[in-house]
Amino acid sequence: MASLAAPITHANQVLASLGSDLHVHLLPGIDDGARTVADGLTLLEKHYQSGIRSIVATPHVRADFFLNTQASIRAAWELIYPEAQRQWPDLRLTYAAEYFADDYLMSLIEQEELLPLFDRYLLVETSMNRESPYLSEIIRTLLDKGWKPVLAHPERYRPWHKRPDRYAELHEMNVIFQVNLLSLAGVYGPAEKAMAEKLIHLGWVGAVGSDLHHPNQYHYIQKAVQNPFFQMLNDVPLLNHALLHTTRNE
Ligand SMILES: [Fe+2]
């Protein structure tokens, strides 16, 4: 387990340019991410050593697999937060969710039971394998209600890879594209990696998340930061930087 005495050198602070992670599955036991508090703390330790100082934990919320609520997410956060505070007092750990675009999300929007990343930024994902009948309607509804949708890993939506118009449409609607570090490492395959790089090249990426689910994925971070397209993001005003300057405290 980590302590403040753990050696931290500039060389291993490979994520210091981001400073924050706004998409990660480290709350224990409520989705397909960290199973235990120990796993969650290991992810926190690795992020801290990489130079991350603000983290928004984003467990899945979707009707078919992970029917999480504000209460279940808060409860999982309370399992890990006190120890995180003790070990890394200058690491901010808040919670939100990664909302799957389904009818459950529609009902949460209606009930105004949403957990933003911060401010009005809401992390939303959709199906990797087929066009969602809900996504466009949900995005429009969110925008109408003053939310700022952040689309999780657009590079992973295979049906869109031959539909550049789909990306353009959402970009023109001011949807913020959040690419995954794991995509830049090639974890999901060459097509996802190439699309992440293309979106960065276009200047359409506004946020970066790790989307880590387990500590044993962490070695991919080292690979991701060596991708020249990650370096290109140094000059981009990312939501990650805005998050560092918010004052929200849980
Ligand atoms: Fe995720």
Side-chain angles (χ1 to χ4, degrees), residues 15-16 30 37 40 62 83 96 103 121 159 183 191 193 198 235 240:
L15 297 179
I30 57 169
V37 171
R62 55 185 290 176
E83 183 60 18
D103 50 358
Y121 295 102
S183 297
K193 180 170 180 280
K198 182 177 176 182
D235 302 323
N240 300 71

Side-chain angles (χ1 to χ4, degrees), residues 1-9 12-13 45 48-49 87-88:
M1 198 166 286
S3 76
L4 283 176
I8 295 172
T9 65
N12 65 17
Q13 294 213 319
E45 175 190 8
Y48 190 88
Q49 291 180 346
Q87 293 200 44
W88 308 284

Side-chain angles (χ1 to χ4, degrees), residues 163-195:
R163 294 274 317 272
D165 56 308
R166 200 78 177 92
Y167 291 101
E169 176 196 343
L170 290 164
H171 176 66
E172 281 161 20
M173 290 169 80
N174 291 322
V175 172
I176 295 171
F177 288 166
Q178 176 261 299
V179 295
N180 280 3
L181 288 171
L182 295 184
S183 297
L184 293 176
V187 172
Y188 313 108
E192 285 78 1
K193 180 170 180 280
M195 184 54 75

Side-chain angles (χ1 to χ4, degrees), residues 6-223:
I8 295 172
T9 65
H10 181 71
N12 65 17
Q13 294 213 319
V14 293
L15 297 179
S17 62
L18 286 180
S20 70
D21 188 5
L22 40 70
H23 183 167
V24 60
H25 299 265
L26 60 77
L27 296 187
I30 57 169
D31 66 0
D32 56 346
R35 289 193 194 98
T36 63
V37 171
D39 275 354
L41 288 170
T42 301
L43 279 168
L44 287 173
E45 175 190 8
K46 289 175 181 294
H47 255 5
Y48 190 88
Q49 291 180 346
S50 296
I52 295 285
R53 291 296 179 268
S54 185
I55 295 173
V56 187
T58 52
H60 288 288
V61 173
R62 55 185 290 176
D64 50 0
F65 292 115
F66 308 110
L67 256 179
N68 278 310
T69 63
Q70 291 190 14
S72 70
I73 294 168
R74 169 97 194 175
W77 175 83
E78 285 177 347
L79 290 176
I80 198 168
Y81 181 70
E83 183 60 18
Q85 270 285 284
R86 192 187 71 74
Q87 293 200 44
W88 308 284
D90 61 333
L91 173 67
R92 188 156 52 134
L93 174 62
T94 59
Y95 60 89
E98 180 181 13
Y99 293 99
F100 192 85
D102 57 19
D103 50 358
Y104 182 49
L105 176 53
M106 287 298 267
S107 71
L108 293 176
I109 295 169
E110 287 306 315
Q111 295 158 36
E112 300 196 355
E113 284 193 14
L114 296 169
L115 291 168
L117 296 169
F118 65 100
D119 186 19
R120 298 284 286 176
Y121 295 102
L122 203 75
L123 187 64
V124 177
E125 68 167 337
T126 188
S127 171
M128 314 273 184
N129 308 313
R130 57 187 168 79
E131 281 279 357
S132 162
Y134 293 101
L135 185 68
S136 293
E137 183 186 352
I138 283 175
I139 295 290
R140 268 192 292 272
T141 304
L142 287 171
L143 290 166
D144 287 349
K145 290 179 179 286
W147 293 99
K148 299 172 184 172
V150 179
L151 185 65
H153 40 63
E155 72 277 10
R156 296 194 65 191
Y157 304 129
R158 280 280 177 99
W160 301 4
H161 284 195
K162 290 180 180 155
R163 294 274 317 272
D165 56 308
R166 200 78 177 92
Y167 291 101
E169 176 196 343
L170 290 164
H171 176 66
E172 281 161 20
M173 290 169 80
N174 291 322
V175 172
I176 295 171
F177 288 166
Q178 176 261 299
V179 295
N180 280 3
L181 288 171
L182 295 184
S183 297
L184 293 176
V187 172
Y188 313 108
E192 285 78 1
K193 180 170 180 280
M195 184 54 75
E197 293 171 351
K198 182 177 176 182
L199 293 172
I200 291 170
H201 180 72
L202 286 168
W204 288 5
V205 170
V208 178
S210 71
D211 206 4
L212 287 161
H213 284 63
H214 300 287
N216 62 12
Q217 295 174 304
Y218 213 88
H219 62 283
Y220 292 121
I221 297 296
Q222 192 67 45
K223 197 171 174 192

